[in-house]
């Protein structure tokens, strides 16, 4: 063996110079973590208006969102990773919503539940924010006024697909 | 307890000594008074006629008419079980009426709301801060000339999103 020093480069995944083997392994790790994360969604319900009724319906026994690992709401933004914005958000409330979102730890996702959160719905006036995507990034939109529980479940499943497909930054070459 | 017609007759006779007209409309006694007569009428209603509940104060914007604003009060009597509506008109240049806070404590919040939504001034109410709106809101959203699309967000929009009409 030569006296050459072995250098282990420390590079994040995705930087040039990565090997095909590493790429393969890290893809599989992303999948593994995505799989774990998509079944442990802890929602924070930011409930402001009539959509709350539908939220209660969908989180109760007949629809059983625990099948998707998304049943247990956390009422602290620090313990949750899905912000469910359920109902109309007014301009006066927007700073509160933004603060809640800022307090959530990464990784975090946002769901706009109902047309009010999605686009303001039928409200076009001085009071309502015309869509929460104006103030924070939204991952999944659920239309309907209010959406049916099946639509909410479809939204959760779409979010799960999105989480599974995501690159999870926790995975670096040194992981 | 007297019938509401008797009560209305009695109130009408007391109110009609002052300027204005009094009539019964859809089961409510409606008094159209001059702005200066409102406080005295409210005092009469509260102290002598038994109207112990102040229900609401709101306004109506009649664009193109002069005087433009109509301020409307509702009172209720728990002993007679009848309502009375008092109305007055104020011009756009000086939309100001006396505050009823010396008579009814519950008027304070309702006058704040009417003030922010219609820009009606209530002389004698020292605390007319926004109640449902927020500090820094420009204009009076329930006036008919407030643009429907005008947004005054407290949080800056993310890049790529336009504000509605700026006025
Ligand atoms: S979308 Fe419809 S049900 Fe939901 S908050 Fe808005 S108005 Fe209410």
């Amino acid at each position: 063996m030569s006296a050459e020093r072995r250098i282990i480069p420390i590079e994040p995944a995705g930087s040039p110079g990565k090997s095909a083997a590493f790429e393969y392994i890290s893809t599989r790790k992303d999948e593994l973590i995505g799989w774990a994360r998509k079944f442990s969604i802890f929602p924070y319900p930011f409930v402001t208006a009539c959509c709350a009724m539908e939220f209660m319906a969908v989180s109760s026994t007949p629809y059983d969102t625990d099948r998707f690992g998304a049943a247990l709401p956390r009422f602290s933004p620090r313990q949750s990773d899905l912000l469910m914005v359920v109902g109309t958000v007014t301009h006066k409330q927007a700073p509160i919503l933004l603060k809640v979102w800022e307090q959530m730890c990464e990784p975090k996702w946002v769901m706009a539940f109902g047309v009010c959160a999605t686009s303001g719905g039928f409200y076009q006036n001085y009071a309502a924010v015309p869509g929460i995507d104006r103030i924070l990034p939204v991952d999944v939109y659920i239309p309907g006024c209010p959406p049916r529980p099946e639509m909410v479940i479809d939204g959760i499943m779409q979010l799960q697909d999105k989480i599974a497909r995501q690159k999870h930054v926790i995975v670096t070459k040194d992981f | 307890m007297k019938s509401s017609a008797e009560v209305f007759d009695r109130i009408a006779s007391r109110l009609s000594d002052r300027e204005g007209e009094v009539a019964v409309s859809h089961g409510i006694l409606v008094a159209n008074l001059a702005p200066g007569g409102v406080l005295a009428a409210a005092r009469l209603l509260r102290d002598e006629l038994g109207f112990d509940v102040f229900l609401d104060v709101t306004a109506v914007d009649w664009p193109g008419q002069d005087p433009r604003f109509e301020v409307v009060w509702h009172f209720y009597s728990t002993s007679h079980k009848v309502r009375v509506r008092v109305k007055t008109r104020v011009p756009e240049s000086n939309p100001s009426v006396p505050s009823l806070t010396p008579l009814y404590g519950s008027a304070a919040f309702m006058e704040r709301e009417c003030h922010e939504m219609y820009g009606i001034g209530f002389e004698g109410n020292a605390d007319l801060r926004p109640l449902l709106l927020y500090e820094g809101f420009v204009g009076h959203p329930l006036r008919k000339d407030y643009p429907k699309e005008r947004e005054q967000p407290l949080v800056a929009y993310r890049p790529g999103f336009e504000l509605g009409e700026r006025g």
Side-chain angles (χ1 to χ4, degrees):
Chain A
M1 203 175 146
S2 73
E4 241 179 79
R5 269 171 57 211
R6 252 180 88 229
I7 296 169
I8 303 167
I10 298 173
E11 287 172 87
S15 68
K18 67 205 167 197
S19 69
F22 172 73
E23 183 74 338
Y24 175 76
I25 290 168
S26 79
T27 313
R28 306 307 294 179
K29 278 180 189 159
D30 265 346
E31 244 172 59
L32 177 67
I33 290 180
W35 175 83
R37 280 187 175 163
K38 80 175 194 179
F39 287 116
S40 65
I41 302 170
F42 286 87
Y44 175 96
F46 188 91
V47 176
T48 55
C50 21
C51 268
M53 295 298 134
E54 214 59 36
F55 175 77
M56 290 170 207
V58 75
S59 47
S60 58
T61 323
Y63 293 98
D64 190 16
T65 45
D66 218 2
R67 289 177 290 163
F68 311 96
L72 199 61
R74 309 307 306 184
F75 293 105
S76 161
R78 294 172 208 283
Q79 297 173 351
S80 54
D81 40 27
L82 170 62
L83 177 61
M84 289 175 107
V85 185
V86 182
T88 327
V89 176
T90 59
H91 285 302
K92 195 169 177 178
Q93 234 172 1
I96 303 165
L97 175 62
L98 191 65
K99 191 166 218 167
V100 167
W101 180 76
E102 281 168 350
Q103 287 181 8
M104 291 170 64
C105 298
E106 293 282 355
K108 56 188 173 187
W109 299 277
V110 179
M111 174 185 280
F113 188 120
V115 286
C116 281
T118 302
S119 68
F122 44 75
Y123 295 113
Q124 186 185 32
N125 58 21
Y126 64 95
V129 177
I132 56 160
D133 49 6
R134 278 161 172 68
I135 52 178
L136 39 93
V138 177
D139 293 282
V140 53
Y141 300 85
I142 304 175
C145 176
R148 288 206 41 84
E150 291 83 354
M151 297 164 76
V152 181
I153 288 173
D154 186 52
I156 294 174
M157 286 163 70
Q158 292 203 20
L159 181 69
Q160 284 186 323
D161 288 347
K162 185 170 181 173
I163 295 172
R165 277 185 279 108
Q166 259 174 357
K167 221 165 171 52
H168 295 277
V169 284
I170 188 172
V171 183
T172 63
K173 194 163 183 172
D174 307 307
F175 175 63
Chain B
M1 197 176 104
K2 293 181 215 128
S3 76
S4 53
E6 282 173 63
V7 179
F8 283 161
D9 280 346
R10 189 158 146 246
I11 301 162
S13 65
R14 294 295 304 274
L15 279 178
S16 50
D17 329 334
R18 32 200 103 234
E19 263 176 78
E21 41 186 278
V22 182
V24 176
S25 158
H26 298 92
I28 294 187
L29 190 80
V30 182
N32 273 298
L33 305 175
V38 171
L39 191 60
R43 182 167 284 130
L44 177 76
L45 285 170
R46 188 192 71 154
D47 294 343
E48 293 174 40
L49 299 170
F51 283 81
D52 44 358
V53 183
F54 177 82
L55 288 177
D56 194 20
V57 54
T58 185
V60 185
D61 182 1
W62 298 100
Q65 291 188 15
D66 191 42
R68 178 172 161 191
F69 296 103
E70 185 167 46
V71 187
V72 186
W73 293 263
H74 285 95
F75 303 90
Y76 181 70
S77 164
T78 49
S79 47
H80 307 307
K81 311 252 186 290
V82 291
R83 278 157 223 261
V84 162
R85 179 184 302 148
V86 174
K87 299 203 244 183
T88 189
R89 296 292 287 245
V90 286
E92 191 177 353
S93 54
N94 179 27
S96 182
V97 290
S99 166
L100 297 193
T101 45
L103 301 175
Y104 298 95
S106 58
F109 271 23
M110 300 180 206
E111 288 177 358
R112 272 171 76 178
E113 184 186 350
C114 188
H115 174 73
E116 67 186 351
M117 293 296 171
Y118 291 96
I120 306 292
F122 290 89
E123 283 159 35
N125 188 336
D127 179 17
L128 286 175
R129 285 174 300 146
L131 178 68
L132 302 175
L133 296 175
Y134 32 91
E135 295 289 349
F137 192 95
V138 180
H140 304 288
L142 294 194
R143 286 191 177 185
K144 297 291 181 206
D145 51 9
Y146 186 91
K148 172 168 75 77
E149 301 83 8
R150 184 167 170 201
E151 298 165 37
Q152 302 191 34
L154 287 175
V155 174
Y157 283 177
R158 295 166 62 225
F161 288 101
E162 297 282 313
L163 265 188
E165 181 188 335
R166 285 172 194 269

